[in-house]
Amino acid sequence: MAIDYSLEPVLVEGNPPLKELDEVIIRPIDLKPTRKYQVVLAFFVSLLIIGIICTGITFYYGIGMWGNNQPVAWAFDITNFVFWIGIGHAGTLISAILYLLRQQWRNGIARFAEAMTIFAVMCAGIFPVIHTGRPWLAGYLIPYPNQHLMWPNFISPLVWDVFAVSTYFTVSLIFWYTGLIPDFATLRDRATNKIKKTIYSVFSLGWRGSSRQWQHYEKAYMLFAGFATPLVLSVHTVVSWDFAAAIIPGWHSTIFPPYFVAGAIFSGFAMVSTVLIFIRKVFDMEHIITIDHLEKMNKIILLTGSMVGYAYIIEWFMAWYSGSPFELFTTLNRAFGPYGWGYWVMLSCNVFFPQLFWFKKIRRSVPVTLAIVILVNVGMWFERFIIIVTSLSRDFLPSSWHAYRPTLVDFGILFGSFGLFFTLILLFARTLPVVSIAEIKSIVKGAQPVHHEEE
Amino acid sequence: MADEKKLFGVAALFDTADEIFNAAKKVNEAGFKNYDVNTPYPIHGIERAMKLKSSKLGYVTLFFGFFGASSILFFMWWALAVNYPLVIGGKPYFPLPAFVPITFEFTVLNAVVSTFIAMIAIVFNLPFNAHPLHDTNYMKNVTSDKYGVVIESDDPQFDENKVTEFLKSLGGKSIELIHNPEPKILKAFEPKFVVFLIIVAIITSASTYVTLNKFMYLPPFDFMLNQNKGSAQAESTFFRDKREMREPAKGTVARGFIPYAFNDPADTTEFYSDPLLPTKKVLKLGQRKFLTFCSPCHGNYADGNSRLRGFFPPGPTLHSAKVIGYSDGQIYNIITNGMQGIMPSYAYQTTRDERWAIVNYIRVLQRAQNPKPSDFSAISELIKESGNASN
């Protein structure tokens, strides 16, 4: 391993001394919250409260408060579930896959993306549970010896989902916490306040930064990354099987797993960009989360967006090539039926606008990037909505067709999930280092010894 | 241990990664064993300078990964094919491809969690907030922007002055002597702690009480209580006879019910013969049931010498020629129906098999009272065998 680290490109602009990096990253934690922060937090907490109230209404009056009805039994709830799970995927991609590929630029954004993964999976986890109508019985999904002497149906994709999502959450949490341990040690040794010091001591577990520890730590981190990589691909694959294993036209398709995974990474990167653009501005981290980071993420958005566009084209091709009149009808119905407007929103946001990233000027322009990534978020939400609702509302028999209309409670819970996500993001940004201190230090110029010996 | 302010080691700080790399190399070359290098982030290649063995954590991951995969696959096979076999969608009980996703997820979960626990708890021995290095100036620097070497006092080559000089010669700055902290003794009955325990106990018990006795009776958790149902003794407004409790329809037969045709001690020999073999298991069962239900009147050995003699009409001996002459079916019939209005029916206390086991046991008792010559030779044979075995 004779890697010449001196040839690395500049990843942290200006080569700040390590002490200054500490200061910059930890400043948001030490300062009192500003007025602006409080206003933004209040806004998202209000959204969260709206969501909680709407969920409470659902529990009290029952699932009839939603627009769902036969045959559209899955609607906003599962749309939101798939949307949020997809958002999470970018975090693991950045932290695990880019780690294995030795893309060191990831160090600046990995912590934030991982946190986003965890919060997004938390938002996602709510929906299947409340969708069952009796969330207090959700414990039966876990195989434990119960009084009914029954086990879950392990050959159902819905049960695979339970295992996939809970494993994903646990592994992401461990990955995130492992990365946080050295940073907690840094926070602990800076803290002057006794209460803060105690809290940081507890979470740092007494980390000493010994090279004997670092050696195992890096090994474990690599193993985690190695496991998280197939895991992240499996999670959205399993989610897509929820659809693909059914025989509904428009769902029963082998392209779903790769199509869903690409879409998940696409939407996830869009969400990471959306939030990071604000974070780097507000917290003065423009030299840590540089314009190069945004450009690289835009390239990935362009790539995955094109993959999603390819999947849309293949859907049309398969509708014709399969020779199934139902498939053809469903595809035509998606584009020109009652929900056709949603299809064109989806198509323009996911396929057309990201193609603007072919231009370097647009890739490196922060306001344009922000506009496009927000559009991508919108488009990806509509994609899941279109897949679920158009297929269910008009399947085989015209006599069983039924239009779906969301109710106010549906919207309330959707907004509530955004409230939860951004509340957690805002709290995270002020309580924990949003950039991994140890990892960013390790890629500053001169941070690694120059090796002259051959081995 | 007598000296509480024992020296833990000597620490030195360095400014750059190159310096620490060379320092680690020199310390290792000087033959020190118990030393450590502390850095704010991993320094690449330092494990070679320190000549550390590569991490064995991968084996933990490998073992628990395989363990997770095989255990979940075995469990799913057991649950769906053995414990509660159900035909789902016309598929076989154990369609292997359908078990792959969960096997994979569980493998990942098991491998990652076990690796994390092994690393933190076993390899690092964390949490360890009482380590002597904590709260030193040295530690505060090496988690921020300095790199440090600490040579511990339990190293065989350790000598305070020499080590200090050695670290200085390597270019180390702010040499620091680190002492073991005074061991803290926690008092279990400190008033504050006792009050804390009491508060925790009160909160825990109160919240448990409220959850189980109040909260679970509020909607939506009261769905089991508020059902549209009638209780057994209540008056019905629906049925004409005003009874909530309904009688079974005419001709209903309980599950497993087999009608018994005889009401008196008739000769049932031709209808009933003993269905059980006099095995050890059957005789044990018969003995237990006999001692429970029969012995109070007939005596433990069926000789009529019972412990209730004088309180109740005496049960007759079962060794009389009359009883020995009864067929198995007759004895079974007597147990089922009772006898002469004195012995009650035992049909509701015992099952059919148990009654037949009792019949078998009675036969054994009778044989014991009136043994045949062949029995004596069999017994002496047994005694001889056991005698030989004990020698």
Side-chain angles (χ1 to χ4, degrees), chain A residues 22 149 151 160 186 189 197 205-206 208-212 214-216 227 231 234 441 447-450 455, chain B residues 17-18 35-39 41 44 48 53 55 61 83-84 98-99 105 126-129 135 139 143-144:
Chain A
D22 276 358
L149 305 173
W151 302 106
W160 303 347
T186 305
D189 289 334
K197 193 177 171 66
L205 301 171
R208 297 190 296 279
S210 146
S211 289
R212 293 168 198 271
W214 278 122
Q215 189 204 6
H216 296 291
F227 274 108
L231 178 66
S234 85
K441 278 177 190 164
Q448 299 297 348
V450 184
E455 205 165 21
Chain B
D18 284 323
Y35 68 98
D36 212 344
V37 176
N38 301 74
T39 53
Y41 55 86
H44 295 287
R48 272 181 284 122
K53 282 180 195 145
S55 174
T61 318
N83 183 247
Y84 203 131
F99 289 158
E105 303 296 342
L126 297 179
F128 191 6
N129 278 312
D135 282 327
M139 199 69 217
T143 54
S144 176

Side-chain angles (χ1 to χ4, degrees), chain A residues 71-100:
Chain A
V72 189
W74 287 2
F76 262 41
D77 41 2
I78 303 299
T79 303
N80 298 343
F81 164 69
V82 181
F83 175 74
W84 281 119
I85 280 282
I87 297 290
H89 278 47
T92 321
L93 185 100
I94 291 170
S95 61
I97 299 182
L98 296 185
Y99 178 82
L100 292 181

Side-chain angles (χ1 to χ4, degrees), chain A residues 123-155:
Chain A
C123 289
I126 294 168
F127 287 101
V129 173
I130 62 171
H131 159 81
T132 59
R134 289 185 184 174
W136 49 93
L137 301 181
Y140 288 125
L141 287 167
I142 298 157
Y144 72 98
N146 55 46
Q147 73 271 35
H148 302 304
L149 305 173
M150 296 252 290
W151 302 106
N153 173 13
F154 290 117
I155 62 178

